[in-house]
Amino acid sequence: MPHLVTVSGNRIPLRRGQSYVLGRGLDCDVVVEDAACSRRHAMLSVAQINNAAFLEDLGSRNGSYLNGDRVRSRVAVRDGSRLQLGQSIYLVRMKEEREEIDLAETGTVAFEQSSFNQDCDGGELANYSVVDLVKLLFNARRSVTVHIAAQDGPGLLEMRGGDLAYAEFQGLEGFNALVRLGRQRSGIFWLVECEDECFRNLTDPTVRLLAELQRCVDPNAVPRP
């Protein structure tokens, strides 16, 4: 069943062939507890077939955003997109649960596919921890900015050519921020391609940073040879 995922890890089921009004009003189909959200903020319509969905803004005060772009008219929503209403961010999942289980069992993740180059690709920290995500990006030698919307606030990782370059979270920078991010058990992340240089606050080799991060996040973990 299609669903929305919140930064706290909750899943809001969506039925095919139905439309949902999202907003702060208690009469909305999906109530968004956010002062920056309008009473009737946006409508999400789920098609009966083809994993299709559509989003339209309902004249909200602060606008609706899909993958960082303001929604000006009715727009198509694809699986893995992020929806922002006010300060609240949701991950849109159109796949059936069985498909997601198969994805996890095979070890193949969405951002390893060709669509990884698009800035709306991402997932849930509950499925792919920060440690796992950094390992994947390191092995793929990617240059990306990783945006993270966690329950404790927004965070940011910068990777250049697969190497960790920068981290910030909860007013911290560098390795301390990386550890705090690594301890988040729920949240939404998305990736934005970025080739230019950034200010580095992580200068140790990424392999060493990963080993130390895993030790800090899980003291009982046994380092792999």
Side-chain angles (χ1 to χ4, degrees):
M1 177 181 290
H3 55 274
L4 297 176
V5 184
T6 70
V7 296
S8 61
N10 293 328
R11 282 168 166 70
I12 302 170
L14 304 171
R15 293 190 177 276
R16 299 184 188 279
Q18 293 192 14
S19 295
Y20 296 84
V21 174
L22 298 88
R24 189 163 42 88
L26 297 180
D27 59 338
C28 290
D29 301 299
V30 178
V31 177
V32 184
E33 297 181 356
D34 184 338
C37 187
S38 297
R39 291 187 181 277
R40 289 174 59 86
H41 198 106
M43 179 178 290
L44 183 65
S45 302
V46 183
Q48 188 70 45
I49 58 174
N50 297 332
N51 281 335
F54 300 90
L55 176 69
E56 55 186 307
D57 185 77
L58 298 178
S60 65
R61 181 176 68 255
N62 294 317
S64 303
Y65 293 82
L66 184 67
N67 302 324
D69 295 327
R70 186 159 186 167
V71 174
R72 304 292 183 181
S73 59
R74 192 169 187 257
V75 295
V77 179
R78 70 180 181 85
D79 179 62
S81 294
R82 65 185 185 279
L83 167 62
Q84 181 171 353
L85 310 177
Q87 299 300 314
S88 300
I89 298 177
Y90 299 87
L91 183 69
V92 181
R93 283 302 188 200
M94 300 302 298
K95 294 181 181 295
E96 298 293 345
E97 184 177 0
R98 182 66 246 171
E99 291 179 272
E100 295 179 355
I101 292 173
D102 290 342
L103 197 66
E105 288 176 349
T106 60
T108 304
V109 293
F111 44 81
E112 287 183 311
Q113 301 171 6
S114 58
S115 61
F116 177 62
N117 292 324
Q118 301 183 33
D119 75 343
C120 57
D121 283 340
E124 304 171 55
L125 293 182
N127 294 335
Y128 310 111
S129 70
V130 168
V131 174
D132 294 333
L133 180 58
V134 170
K135 286 179 180 178
L136 287 166
L137 296 173
F138 172 76
N139 290 331
R141 310 308 296 173
R142 301 309 299 262
S143 293
V144 294
T145 299
V146 183
H147 297 269
I148 298 173
Q151 195 167 10
D152 295 337
L156 188 74
L157 292 178
E158 296 274 4
M159 299 196 69
R160 294 295 181 270
D163 289 324
L164 273 165
Y166 183 85
E168 66 176 42
F169 185 56
Q170 293 185 318
L172 299 174
E173 292 185 337
F175 188 72
N176 289 336
L178 186 62
V179 171
R180 289 269 184 101
L181 282 170
R183 289 174 176 164
Q184 297 297 303
R185 293 294 177 261
S186 67
I188 296 165
F189 67 84
W190 62 95
L191 315 171
V192 178
E193 294 291 330
C194 188
E195 297 290 345
D196 56 342
E197 294 296 323
C198 66
F199 173 76
R200 299 186 67 95
N201 60 23
L202 294 167
T203 56
D204 286 347
T206 299
V207 172
R208 180 176 175 182
L209 287 169
L210 271 169
E212 186 65 13
L213 173 62
Q214 192 154 352
R215 186 189 67 80
C216 292
V217 171
D218 183 6
N220 298 319
V222 178
R224 295 180 180 179

